[in-house]
Amino acid sequence: VLGKTEPGRIYELLGLKGDVSGRSLELRDTFERGLAFYRSREWKNARESFEACLAIYPDDAPSHLFISRIVSFELDPPGDDWTGIWNLSGK
């Protein structure tokens, strides 16, 4: 959230228990792997995971967002004090 200095978690409701498609669960699991790679600065593996998410669901906005962040970090890696948090500079 713009202006906040503390990180916040974002959750996505997938559906009612027992009523979530296998495709949605596959996307969730693949995205979680990508996020783990991203947080550990394994850019290549993270990008591959988010690209796999797009193969499952081409319009997945979070995967597109993380790929663009990875491109930025590949060009200008974050410092040693990076915590995985992305600070917004505008709406």
Side-chain angles (χ1 to χ4, degrees):
V1 177
L2 184 62
K4 295 286 185 180
T5 58
E6 295 297 318
R9 290 206 178 264
I10 298 173
Y11 298 91
E12 179 179 6
L13 180 63
L14 298 178
L16 297 173
K17 185 175 181 177
D19 195 30
V20 179
S21 72
R23 181 174 166 235
S24 292
L25 295 175
E26 181 183 7
L27 177 63
R28 177 202 63 194
D29 295 343
T30 305
F31 189 88
E32 284 181 2
R33 277 192 301 280
L35 195 54
F37 287 131
Y38 174 85
R39 289 178 174 151
S40 64
R41 301 175 187 226
E42 296 180 53
W43 308 130
K44 180 182 181 291
N45 291 330
R47 181 197 292 258
E48 289 173 356
S49 293
F50 293 125
E51 287 172 347
C53 288
L54 296 177
I56 298 165
Y57 185 70
D59 294 329
D60 187 53
S63 293
H64 283 289
L65 176 67
F66 275 93
I67 289 171
S68 71
R69 289 178 181 178
I70 290 166
V71 168
S72 175
F73 286 147
E74 287 172 333
L75 296 172
D76 185 21
D80 291 338
D81 61 343
W82 183 70
T83 61
I85 297 169
W86 187 270
N87 293 312
L88 295 177
S89 59
K91 280 190 174 186

mmCIF file of all heavy atoms in Angstrom, residues 1-4 69 85-91:
data_model
loop_
_atom_site.group_PDB
_atom_site.id
_atom_site.type_symbol
_atom_site.label_atom_id
_atom_site.label_comp_id
_atom_site.label_asym_id
_atom_site.label_seq_id
_atom_site.Cartn_x
_atom_site.Cartn_y
_atom_site.Cartn_z
ATOM 1 N N VAL A 1 0.847 -1.174 0.000
ATOM 2 C CA VAL A 1 0.000 0.000 0.000
ATOM 3 C C VAL A 1 0.889 1.232 0.000
ATOM 4 O O VAL A 1 1.811 1.327 0.812
ATOM 5 C CB VAL A 1 -0.947 0.000 1.218
ATOM 6 C CG1 VAL A 1 -1.771 1.251 1.260
ATOM 7 C CG2 VAL A 1 -1.824 -1.240 1.213
ATOM 8 N N LEU A 2 0.614 2.153 -0.896
ATOM 9 C CA LEU A 2 1.404 3.372 -1.015
ATOM 10 C C LEU A 2 1.406 4.137 0.297
ATOM 11 O O LEU A 2 0.365 4.332 0.926
ATOM 12 C CB LEU A 2 0.842 4.248 -2.133
ATOM 13 C CG LEU A 2 1.607 5.512 -2.464
ATOM 14 C CD1 LEU A 2 3.014 5.172 -2.948
ATOM 15 C CD2 LEU A 2 0.880 6.312 -3.527
ATOM 16 N N GLY A 3 2.596 4.528 0.753
ATOM 17 C CA GLY A 3 2.725 5.300 1.982
ATOM 18 C C GLY A 3 2.955 4.470 3.226
ATOM 19 O O GLY A 3 3.337 4.989 4.262
ATOM 20 N N LYS A 4 2.731 3.183 3.158
ATOM 21 C CA LYS A 4 2.965 2.298 4.301
ATOM 22 C C LYS A 4 4.433 1.916 4.340
ATOM 23 O O LYS A 4 5.064 1.713 3.312
ATOM 24 C CB LYS A 4 2.115 1.031 4.214
ATOM 25 C CG LYS A 4 0.634 1.271 4.294
ATOM 26 C CD LYS A 4 0.250 1.596 5.704
ATOM 27 C CE LYS A 4 -1.260 1.706 5.813
ATOM 28 N NZ LYS A 4 -1.684 2.003 7.134
ATOM 29 N N ARG A 69 9.529 -7.310 -12.263
ATOM 30 C CA ARG A 69 10.436 -7.004 -11.157
ATOM 31 C C ARG A 69 11.745 -7.767 -11.307
ATOM 32 O O ARG A 69 12.825 -7.230 -11.040
ATOM 33 C CB ARG A 69 9.778 -7.353 -9.820
ATOM 34 C CG ARG A 69 8.656 -6.407 -9.466
ATOM 35 C CD ARG A 69 7.999 -6.797 -8.170
ATOM 36 N NE ARG A 69 6.911 -5.887 -7.860
ATOM 37 C CZ ARG A 69 6.122 -6.005 -6.806
ATOM 38 N NH1 ARG A 69 6.309 -7.003 -5.945
ATOM 39 N NH2 ARG A 69 5.162 -5.140 -6.598
ATOM 40 N N ILE A 85 10.886 -7.129 -0.077
ATOM 41 C CA ILE A 85 9.764 -6.195 -0.086
ATOM 42 C C ILE A 85 9.935 -5.209 -1.223
ATOM 43 O O ILE A 85 11.028 -4.697 -1.468
ATOM 44 C CB ILE A 85 9.666 -5.450 1.265
ATOM 45 C CG1 ILE A 85 9.379 -6.467 2.377
ATOM 46 C CG2 ILE A 85 8.609 -4.365 1.219
ATOM 47 C CD1 ILE A 85 9.513 -5.896 3.755
ATOM 48 N N TRP A 86 8.852 -4.928 -1.937
ATOM 49 C CA TRP A 86 8.845 -3.976 -3.031
ATOM 50 C C TRP A 86 8.120 -2.724 -2.532
ATOM 51 O O TRP A 86 6.973 -2.801 -2.102
ATOM 52 C CB TRP A 86 8.117 -4.557 -4.236
ATOM 53 C CG TRP A 86 8.228 -3.705 -5.444
ATOM 54 C CD1 TRP A 86 7.372 -2.704 -5.824
ATOM 55 C CD2 TRP A 86 9.238 -3.765 -6.459
ATOM 56 N NE1 TRP A 86 7.795 -2.148 -6.991
ATOM 57 C CE2 TRP A 86 8.948 -2.788 -7.408
ATOM 58 C CE3 TRP A 86 10.357 -4.558 -6.644
ATOM 59 C CZ2 TRP A 86 9.713 -2.571 -8.537
ATOM 60 C CZ3 TRP A 86 11.126 -4.335 -7.758
ATOM 61 C CH2 TRP A 86 10.816 -3.363 -8.690
ATOM 62 N N ASN A 87 8.795 -1.591 -2.573
ATOM 63 C CA ASN A 87 8.196 -0.334 -2.117
ATOM 64 C C ASN A 87 7.581 0.405 -3.305
ATOM 65 O O ASN A 87 8.261 0.648 -4.303
ATOM 66 C CB ASN A 87 9.242 0.556 -1.433
ATOM 67 C CG ASN A 87 9.735 -0.051 -0.145
ATOM 68 O OD1 ASN A 87 8.944 -0.477 0.678
ATOM 69 N ND2 ASN A 87 11.043 -0.111 0.024
ATOM 70 N N LEU A 88 6.317 0.771 -3.172
ATOM 71 C CA LEU A 88 5.635 1.509 -4.222
ATOM 72 C C LEU A 88 6.028 2.975 -4.164
ATOM 73 O O LEU A 88 6.134 3.556 -3.093
ATOM 74 C CB LEU A 88 4.121 1.379 -4.059
ATOM 75 C CG LEU A 88 3.534 -0.001 -4.243
ATOM 76 C CD1 LEU A 88 2.026 0.016 -3.976
ATOM 77 C CD2 LEU A 88 3.789 -0.510 -5.643
ATOM 78 N N SER A 89 6.212 3.568 -5.343
ATOM 79 C CA SER A 89 6.540 4.986 -5.408
ATOM 80 C C SER A 89 5.409 5.794 -6.008
ATOM 81 O O SER A 89 5.496 6.998 -6.144
ATOM 82 C CB SER A 89 7.829 5.201 -6.195
ATOM 83 O OG SER A 89 7.684 4.679 -7.498
ATOM 84 N N GLY A 90 4.328 5.140 -6.406
ATOM 85 C CA GLY A 90 3.169 5.820 -6.981
ATOM 86 C C GLY A 90 2.007 4.856 -7.123
ATOM 87 O O GLY A 90 2.174 3.654 -6.989
ATOM 88 N N LYS A 91 0.831 5.416 -7.348
ATOM 89 C CA LYS A 91 -0.365 4.577 -7.499
ATOM 90 C C LYS A 91 -0.453 3.989 -8.875
ATOM 91 O O LYS A 91 -0.043 4.497 -9.828
ATOM 92 C CB LYS A 91 -1.616 5.379 -7.213
ATOM 93 C CG LYS A 91 -1.878 5.533 -5.754
ATOM 94 C CD LYS A 91 -3.241 6.127 -5.538
ATOM 95 C CE LYS A 91 -3.569 6.136 -4.064
ATOM 96 N NZ LYS A 91 -4.900 6.549 -3.789
#
